[in-house]
Amino acid sequence: MAPGLLDLVHLTTWAVCAVIKLPQLVAVLRARSAWGLSVTSLLLELAGLLVFLRYQIYYDYPLETYLEYPIIIAQDAILLYCIMHFSGKAKRALFYTVVFWGVWYMLTLQKLIIDLAMNLCTLVSAASKLVQLQHLWQTKDSGQASALTWGMGAYTCATRIITTVMTTNDLAVLIRFITMLILNIWVTATILHYRKTKKTD
């Protein structure tokens, strides 16, 4: 892939990630409800994102291969606070902040810890998507879940497969992005299915 095309893929990924959670945030704020969203799913997603970011930094991978992660993490933290607020559990947000900060610090105490965490990170991130799918299947209602947010997640996974192959070729990272691509598409399709089902009722 030509360097110019690789730069374009990076740029589109960053642009999408700059607003990736905004459709979800807008839906939650408009409805003043987090119906259709799983807090457990979001917490698992945050854990996976933090581990993945720490892994990229630890191994000194090129900044352009993970620049979007601090932005996504910040958006997820805001979304988590909104969900906790509308669920009447806003005080728990501080607890989660302390736990995530502690994990962030402990991840790089030894190389073995960060390597193991990265391998588990894919399972944790996959679990976050599966928990959201289970929530959708149980409620049979997409509620405030944003298909656009999940679709943008699928796009960024696809672009990161390309950039990983072209830059680091890290197998653990590739497996993570391929898995997340499949699951993001599945969640998106499920949201659209229940949205269509709700409209026809």
Side-chain angles (χ1 to χ4, degrees), residues 5-193:
L5 188 54
L6 184 60
D7 290 341
L8 179 64
V9 172
H10 283 308
L11 286 172
T12 61
T13 302
W14 300 331
V16 168
C17 288
V19 297
I20 196 164
K21 298 294 178 168
L22 292 183
Q24 190 62 76
L25 278 165
V26 168
V28 168
L29 291 172
R30 275 190 185 150
R32 303 191 57 75
S33 167
W35 179 255
L37 299 175
S38 166
V39 171
T40 304
S41 173
L42 189 56
L43 289 170
L44 289 169
E45 179 180 50
L46 267 169
L49 292 170
L50 286 168
V51 169
F52 186 73
L53 176 62
R54 193 67 162 159
Y55 178 86
Q56 296 276 332
I57 293 169
Y58 183 83
Y59 281 104
D60 200 28
Y61 282 157
L63 180 63
E64 59 271 8
T65 63
Y66 63 89
L67 184 62
E68 69 273 15
Y69 280 84
I71 297 165
I72 297 171
I73 290 168
Q75 290 177 57
D76 265 355
I78 293 167
L79 180 58
L80 179 62
Y81 179 78
C82 289
I83 291 171
M84 302 294 255
H85 173 75
F86 292 124
S87 302
K89 301 174 185 174
K91 291 181 182 178
R92 287 191 190 173
L94 178 61
F95 169 75
Y96 292 128
T97 302
V98 170
V99 169
F100 283 131
W101 182 85
V103 169
W104 175 264
Y105 171 75
M106 291 179 8
L107 282 172
T108 55
L109 292 177
Q110 291 187 3
K111 181 183 181 303
L112 176 67
I113 295 172
I114 191 68
D115 289 341
L116 179 61
M118 178 56 195
N119 289 318
L120 293 174
C121 164
T122 299
L123 295 175
V124 169
S125 294
S128 79
K129 313 302 185 213
L130 293 171
V131 166
Q132 182 62 45
L133 280 167
Q134 180 185 25
H135 184 77
L136 291 166
W137 294 331
Q138 284 177 341
T139 62
K140 296 187 183 336
D141 184 359
S142 59
Q144 306 314 313
S146 170
L148 181 57
T149 291
W150 287 94
M152 289 191 292
Y155 172 79
T156 61
C157 287
T159 61
R160 282 304 175 209
I161 291 168
I162 295 166
T163 61
T164 301
V165 167
M166 299 306 300
T167 56
T168 64
N169 212 21
D170 185 316
L171 184 60
V173 174
L174 280 172
I175 290 170
R176 180 182 191 284
F177 283 129
I178 291 167
T179 304
M180 295 308 101
L181 172 63
I182 292 165
L183 291 172
N184 279 329
I185 291 170
W186 195 357
V187 173
T188 303
T190 304
I191 291 168
L192 292 172
H193 169 74

